[in-house]
Amino acid sequence: MAILPILCYPDPRLHKVAGPILAVDDRIRALVADMLATMYDAHGIGLAATQVDVHERLVVIDVSEERDQPLVLINPELVWTSAETHMNEEGCLSVPGIYDGVERFDAVHVRALDAQGESRVIEADGLLAVCIQHEMDHLMGKVFVEYLSPLKRNRIKTKMIKQQREARE
Ligand code: NI
């Protein structure tokens, strides 16, 4: 297992659209293990392959308190969304230190393959539903700050570029 470097906004690679995974093989299982290790190491609740510069439709999530309930979603597709939506405060490992409100469906059903390549449907609400929608956006090249006003987004962009410059010095 390896801890992978996480791309930081506004890295243009975060806007690449991920392609489908054709076979859940040893390469994918190794990537899943690395992504889980990376997510836990960064104290995140979700990580999309896009964030580690792999542009394939794979997401790992763990919203449990004990950090012992990993969820692996390969080629996830939303098959149902609730009529109700809600504003939730979100953050992202690719936009460290920034939290802001995003409107999301209250509940979703997502069809995906698990790490064994088995197809299943997960019925999610609450934090898990929010997390699934956030991570699936990453696979489409979308970062949550893109839901914010251009003014806010530009402020965040400037802050991130400054942080990254300071980190290199
Ligand atoms: Ni994120």
Side-chain angles (χ1 to χ4, degrees):
M1 274 191 310
I3 307 295
L4 306 170
I6 298 174
L7 299 179
C8 266
Y9 186 79
D11 192 308
R13 291 170 290 182
L14 286 169
H15 302 305
K16 286 192 187 178
V17 176
I21 289 173
L22 302 179
V24 182
D25 52 15
D26 287 348
R27 180 183 69 91
I28 294 299
R29 276 184 286 272
L31 178 60
V32 165
D34 288 350
M35 282 177 57
L36 282 168
T38 303
M39 176 185 74
Y40 288 126
D41 179 69
H43 307 288
I45 60 170
L47 185 70
T50 308
Q51 293 175 274
V52 293
D53 202 20
V54 176
H55 302 282
E56 299 178 58
R57 294 185 59 80
L58 165 60
V59 159
V60 297
I61 290 174
D62 190 342
V63 295
S64 71
E65 290 279 332
E66 291 77 22
R67 321 287 288 140
D68 60 358
Q69 288 172 54
L71 181 64
V72 176
L73 303 178
I74 296 169
N75 299 337
E77 301 293 342
L78 290 182
V79 292
W80 178 84
T81 55
S82 61
E84 302 77 26
T85 63
H86 238 91
M87 188 79 106
N88 306 275
E89 177 117 314
E90 292 185 22
C92 179
L93 292 175
S94 291
V95 199
I98 303 293
Y99 300 89
D100 215 319
V102 179
E103 187 98 17
R104 301 284 190 187
F105 297 114
D106 283 359
V108 297
H109 295 178
V110 61
R111 185 192 306 279
L113 302 178
D114 64 16
Q116 282 70 48
E118 298 292 330
S119 176
R120 51 194 194 124
V121 174
I122 291 120
E123 302 186 359
D125 58 11
L127 181 58
L128 180 58
V130 171
C131 191
I132 287 172
Q133 292 170 77
H134 176 116
E135 300 310 330
M136 285 182 69
D137 271 356
H138 275 302
L139 300 180
M140 296 306 293
K142 187 159 186 171
V143 181
F144 85 102
V145 297
E146 287 166 76
Y147 288 103
L148 309 177
S149 69
L151 180 68
K152 265 191 184 173
R153 194 164 60 241
N154 279 325
R155 245 184 238 152
I156 292 166
K157 205 177 272 185
T158 306
K159 193 174 169 186
M160 287 297 119
I161 290 168
K162 186 161 170 273
Q163 266 178 22
Q164 287 159 38
R165 197 168 49 224
E166 284 167 2
R168 275 197 300 273
E169 281 167 7

